[in-house]
């Protein structure tokens, strides 16, 4: 009887903690993130109601079929009920997937608009690097033999390629607010993961692959990028930040970086 009581009390406490708890995701900063949150909420409510009912019934079963001194009876189960809840679960799962496919595809499969800002992202143990094409708008050639972290060349920009000379490399990512961005993700060693909670996007960086990822950030600010794939002993310190700037501030930053590069050459 105590077990039934515990199940009821815990179930009610869990449901109340979702209703009144102050913990939740950080703010959503674009349309994708809000669509993601809506779908998450829908899933949470459906599964929450089922969870609540199932636990309440479980407690009731414990009370109803408690030991009353009589003989135990073997039950074959109920085929109609089995068919009902198995198909109900299938409908819910498949329906949830169908509803959310568009949200997922918007990030992973959509066409990139022509005015998108293109940025290369490189993961390595244990840091992120970002590359911008610079004033000429063209990413220069890279050469793995020229990779040199000590000289600030994690991408291995080819010294002989003029297109590479003005490529800007940075350890944090800056993007203009309200503009589509296309990232090109790659890794130099093991699998890492690019995760920005406020954008509700998360994508692995896989060695040997170039993976596109599209988003738009609609709020100026600074957002953490924690590597979210256990990538080695230094994984815990692998993090960067995404800085969302106004278009004017972004242009100024890129120009300053360009001038700094020209000053060195
Ligand atoms: Cu990592």
């Amino acid at each position: 009887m105590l077990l039934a009581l515990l199940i009821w009390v815990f179930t009610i406490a869990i449901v109340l903690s979702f209703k009144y708890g102050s913990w939740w995701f950080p703010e959503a900063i674009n349309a994708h993130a809000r669509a993601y949150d809506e779908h998450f909420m829908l899933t949470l409510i459906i599964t929450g109601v089922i969870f609540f009912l199932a636990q309440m019934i479980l407690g009731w079963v414990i009370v109803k079929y408690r030991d009353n001194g009589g003989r135990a009876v073997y039950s074959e189960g109920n085929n109609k009920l089995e068919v009902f809840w198995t198909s109900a679960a299938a409908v819910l799962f498949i329906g949830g997937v169908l509803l959310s496919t568009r949200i997922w595809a918007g990030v992973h499969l959509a066409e990139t608009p022509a005015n998108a800002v293109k940025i290369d992202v490189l993961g390595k143990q244990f840091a992120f690097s970002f590359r911008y094409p610079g004033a000429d708008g063209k990413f220069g050639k890279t050469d793995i033999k020229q990779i040199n972290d000590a000289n600030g060349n994690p991408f291995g920009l080819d010294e002989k390629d003029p297109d590479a000379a003005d490529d800007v490399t940075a350890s944090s990512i800056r993007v203009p607010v309200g503009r589509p961005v296309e990232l090109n993700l790659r890794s130099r060693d093991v699998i890492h993961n690019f995760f920005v909670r406020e954008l509700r996007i998360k994508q692995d960086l896989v060695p040997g692959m170039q993976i596109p990822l599209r988003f738009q950030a609609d709020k100026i600010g600074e957002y953490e990028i924690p590597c979210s794939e256990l990538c080695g002993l230094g994984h815990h310190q692998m993090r960067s930040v995404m800085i969302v700037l106004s278009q004017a501030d972004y242009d100024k930053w890129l120009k300053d970086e360009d001038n700094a590069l020209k000053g060195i050459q």
Side-chain angles (χ1 to χ4, degrees), residues 9-10 23 34 47 66-67 72 89 96 99 106 116 119 128 142 172 178 192 194 200 204 206-208 211 215 255 262:
V9 169
F10 273 121
W23 42 270
R34 285 187 290 276
T47 51
R66 65 187 180 275
D67 181 10
L99 279 175
I119 306 168
F128 287 106
T142 56
S172 52
H192 301 278
F194 182 92
R200 311 286 191 267
D204 274 355
V206 183
I211 302 173
F215 67 87
K255 200 155 182 267
K262 280 185 196 126

Side-chain angles (χ1 to χ4, degrees), residues 84-154:
F84 166 72
W85 59 52
T86 307
S87 22
V91 167
L92 280 178
F93 273 104
I94 294 167
V97 168
L98 289 178
L99 279 175
S100 64
T101 304
R102 206 166 31 89
I103 304 170
W104 181 87
V107 171
H108 296 276
L109 299 178
E111 289 278 312
T112 305
N115 68 333
V117 177
K118 295 196 172 160
I119 306 168
D120 260 7
V121 182
L122 175 79
K124 59 151 204 249
Q125 289 173 318
F126 296 98
F128 287 106
S129 300
F130 303 94
R131 173 164 79 126
Y132 296 76
D136 63 358
K138 271 191 276 183
F139 286 107
K141 284 199 196 95
T142 56
D143 170 11
I144 49 169
K145 288 194 206 87
Q146 296 186 44
I147 288 175
N148 188 335
D149 289 332
N151 278 351
N153 191 5

Side-chain angles (χ1 to χ4, degrees), residues 123-128 190-193 227-232 234-235 238:
K124 59 151 204 249
Q125 289 173 318
F126 296 98
F128 287 106
V190 299
I191 299 178
H192 301 278
N193 185 287
C227 174
S228 303
E229 197 72 71
L230 190 53
C231 58
H235 164 68
M238 182 166 172

